[in-house]
Amino acid sequence: MKSIKSLGLLLFLVFSFNSLYAQNLKPYVLALETTENISELKDKLSLNLQQNGIEVVGQYQPAKDTNRWIFIFTSPELKSAVKEVGQLTGFAASLRIAVTRENGKTLVSYTNPVYWGNAYFRNDFPKVSARYTKLSSKLESAMEATGSFKNLAFGSEKGLSEQKLRKYHYMFAMPYFDDTIELGSFDNFQSAINKIETAAKEKNSNLEMLYKIEIPGKNMALYGFGINGEKGEAKFLPIIDIGKPKHTAFLPYEVLVTGNEVHMLHGRYRIAIAFPDLTMGTFSKIMSTPGDIEDSLEQLVK
């Protein structure tokens, strides 16, 4: 009798742990798996996003890898959420969709809105959660119009709870979301964006400006940049993106102008939140990458 009770307790605990992990959030959603090539999917996907009220603000080939393509998008839901809460939540004004060729198939994935929303809005996420629910529904509709929607979360074996995401850091002494790097400050908002946009056009820059999103009624603009050169994406992406499916939608890197200040998320936060299962051994292989990214983005304010 005692052994039966023990077995029952064990099964209950296993079920409870499994249920807990099922409720955890993961950074990406695998939406589609097809035999179509990337070029065939791009136009179809772009049209279906537009028809569902999702605005593609930029797209590019990260790390010059012909097996990868990224769409960067925003929506009224993202903009209104950022406008309501303000401050550093400007980093949440964009999300990303990746098209990746893997093992003879083409996979479409996207950054999980609720995962990134909890990470960037933190304890303010309940204020804007209804907007994220609406955006997720739009994304699902766009994917269903493009192919057979798989809706499989990935990017972490166990995922992270909402509470852990809202206070996330990789480990002790590593930066949190609000431990940003202030790249520079200017007399006013207009001076800051003028400087960034002028610097981005410099011929010797290793940065490719991909998009700009301004938040109506706020002195706030989010920029996205592809990072080229010997210390750029082509160097660090193959080292950290070793899981399957690929985390292509991790890129590009963002710069936020809020008021007269220019900020970037610390590399040891921004990389870790996109690769939460990254081992210390792999992280050590890109020890210089956070600093390299900062050096590249500092070109924008000099």
Side-chain angles (χ1 to χ4, degrees):
M1 190 72 174
K2 185 179 287 187
S3 62
I4 294 175
K5 287 183 179 179
S6 298
L7 177 60
L9 178 60
L10 178 61
L11 290 173
F12 173 76
L13 290 172
V14 169
F15 177 78
S16 298
F17 278 121
N18 287 340
S19 297
L20 177 64
Y21 289 143
Q23 295 170 13
N24 284 350
L25 298 170
K26 299 181 181 182
Y28 309 98
V29 175
L30 176 60
L32 306 173
E33 184 178 294
T34 176
T35 56
E36 295 179 82
N37 61 42
I38 291 177
S39 60
E40 289 174 325
L41 270 177
K42 280 164 51 180
D43 291 343
K44 187 192 303 185
L45 189 56
S46 184
L47 176 62
N48 289 331
L49 290 168
Q50 181 182 351
Q51 291 181 341
N52 280 277
I54 296 169
E55 179 189 359
V56 175
V57 293
Q59 50 184 300
Y60 85 123
Q61 185 181 88
K64 305 301 181 185
D65 185 343
T66 57
N67 290 314
R68 301 180 194 252
W69 192 262
I70 293 176
F71 293 93
I72 305 98
F73 69 89
T74 190
S75 72
E77 294 80 16
L78 291 177
K79 289 179 180 178
S80 63
V82 170
K83 184 176 181 180
E84 178 178 346
V85 179
Q87 300 176 332
L88 293 174
T89 66
F91 283 108
S94 71
L95 286 169
R96 303 164 300 279
I97 297 167
V99 186
T100 312
R101 191 75 179 163
E102 295 184 51
N103 299 322
K105 294 182 179 180
T106 303
L107 308 183
V108 177
S109 61
Y110 57 84
T111 40
N112 183 349
V114 180
Y115 178 96
W116 294 86
N118 272 284
Y120 287 4
F121 280 90
R122 298 182 296 168
N123 290 334
D124 286 319
F125 184 73
K127 297 178 184 178
V128 299
S129 62
R131 295 183 177 94
Y132 273 80
T133 299
K134 186 175 181 181
L135 172 60
S136 293
S137 179
K138 285 182 172 183
L139 273 170
E140 290 174 12
S141 295
M143 296 302 162
E144 287 169 351
T146 308
S148 179
F149 183 49
K150 298 181 75 69
N151 195 22
L152 298 175
F154 74 96
S156 175
E157 183 180 356
K158 296 177 181 177
L160 297 170
S161 67
E162 290 182 349
Q163 290 74 22
K164 286 188 176 180
L165 271 172
R166 293 173 188 177
K167 55 183 181 181
Y168 180 81
H169 66 155
Y170 181 68
M171 61 183 297
F172 177 75
M174 291 286 239
Y176 293 84
F177 170 74
D178 55 0
D179 292 325
T180 60
I181 294 171
E182 185 177 330
L183 295 171
S185 61
F186 295 82
D187 291 339
N188 51 55
F189 173 72
Q190 191 62 48
S191 296
I193 63 173
N194 287 347
K195 178 61 179 173
I196 287 173
E197 292 174 20
T198 299
K201 295 174 184 175
E202 292 291 330
K203 291 182 179 179
N204 61 348
S205 174
N206 66 333
L207 298 174
E208 177 186 359
M209 191 172 112
L210 303 169
Y211 70 88
K212 173 188 179 183
I213 300 169
E214 287 203 56
I215 305 302
K218 294 276 187 180
N219 285 332
M220 184 179 291
L222 182 68
Y223 293 87
F225 292 91
I227 306 175
N228 303 311
E230 62 180 17
K231 296 181 180 180
E233 296 168 356
K235 175 188 176 184
F236 61 77
L237 189 60
I239 297 173
I240 56 176
D241 196 9
I242 54 178
K244 293 181 181 179
K246 295 296 185 188
H247 297 36
T248 301
F250 150 65
L251 292 167
Y253 218 93
E254 307 93 348
V255 167
L256 177 68
V257 182
T258 176
N260 67 331
E261 297 176 353
V262 181
H263 292 259
M264 62 172 278
L265 292 174
H266 200 297
R268 290 198 295 270
Y269 172 86
R270 177 66 171 78
I271 295 171
I273 197 74
F275 295 85
D277 290 358
L278 202 65
T279 66
M280 213 35 223
T282 302
F283 221 132
S284 67
K285 294 177 183 178
I286 57 160
M287 287 290 284
S288 65
T289 295
D292 293 338
I293 294 173
E294 181 181 350
D295 290 344
S296 291
L297 296 178
E298 277 185 340
Q299 298 174 65
L300 299 168
V301 297
K302 288 181 177 178

